[in-house]
Amino acid sequence: MVARMTAKQFLQLQERRRGGAAAPAAAAKKPRKKPANPGPPSTPPPPDVAPLLAGLSGPGRHWVLLMPYVEEMLTSNQRLHHMAAHRIRSRLREDAAGVAVARRLPRLERAAVFYVLHPRPLSRRRDPGNWAPTAKAYVDGLVTDGGLLPDDNHEFLVGPIPVMGPPVTTGAARMSLVVAEIPPL
């Protein structure tokens, strides 16, 4: 048996879709709550690099870079206007380039990059892979603006590889990058 819609029901449906007065009050969207203030930024403990470097063949020097505190990071699950995403991405690239220049990172032939997510102190499971857009922006800033590698393609860069780190005590999530020098192909 097929359920059919009357002409009156169809017109009401179209009116609701257009946001007309016939829309029932229950179907109206609730305004989004602003997230609570997470508090002042905190510095997470540095990640343990020994297990990360153990998975690489012939790692050389390595650096742990705690990225500057930002309240807005990009995730795979966000739905942002392209200009809002571009604004955040540009800021992340500038921050990474600034860290590379401040730390005086040398130019490398080839490197592996791990991004370590330090989440907010909430008790739920996390997927560090969701923060790949933030890590990509940071790596772009290190490579193109910071001059760490000739390019960020597979010949010069392994990663960025997601790793879960210890949570921050207050503030928004933070990210550390572990850059390890590896031998050329």
Side-chain angles (χ1 to χ4, degrees):
M1 177 169 211
V2 177
R4 299 204 184 256
M5 189 180 292
T6 65
K8 182 179 177 184
Q9 290 171 332
F10 178 74
L11 292 174
Q12 288 173 343
L13 176 67
Q14 282 186 328
E15 189 67 27
R16 279 196 311 265
R17 286 183 179 164
R18 283 190 282 254
K29 286 190 176 183
K30 295 179 184 176
R32 276 190 152 180
K33 285 187 202 176
K34 286 190 100 178
N37 184 357
S42 64
T43 303
D48 185 17
V49 296
L52 305 177
L53 299 178
L56 300 174
S57 61
R61 302 172 289 177
H62 70 276
W63 299 266
V64 177
L65 310 171
L66 178 62
M67 293 292 115
Y69 181 78
V70 292
E71 289 185 358
E72 292 180 308
M73 289 201 286
L74 297 170
T75 67
S76 300
N77 298 331
Q78 285 174 322
R79 292 185 177 178
L80 293 176
H81 187 271
H82 65 93
M83 289 306 293
H86 174 72
R87 180 183 46 78
I88 296 169
R89 195 176 304 111
S90 297
R91 169 83 190 271
L92 297 173
R93 285 178 66 136
E94 289 171 8
D95 288 348
V99 168
V101 170
R103 293 283 303 268
R104 297 183 181 186
L105 295 181
R107 182 125 171 125
L108 303 175
E109 285 294 314
R110 193 158 183 254
V113 175
F114 299 89
Y115 66 94
V116 182
L117 177 68
H118 303 282
R120 290 181 40 220
L122 301 176
S123 58
R124 64 178 186 213
R125 291 189 291 187
R126 306 299 178 121
D127 180 5
N130 282 341
W131 275 267
T134 296
K136 171 78 170 114
Y138 280 145
V139 169
D140 285 346
L142 287 176
V143 172
T144 56
D145 302 333
L148 180 68
L149 293 168
D151 196 4
D152 61 352
N153 64 29
H154 71 282
E155 294 177 23
F156 305 105
L157 178 68
V158 174
I161 302 165
V163 178
M164 198 65 174
V168 293
T169 54
T170 60
R174 300 283 303 263
M175 191 174 286
S176 297
L177 297 181
V178 177
V179 178
E181 184 177 28
I182 56 177
L185 289 175

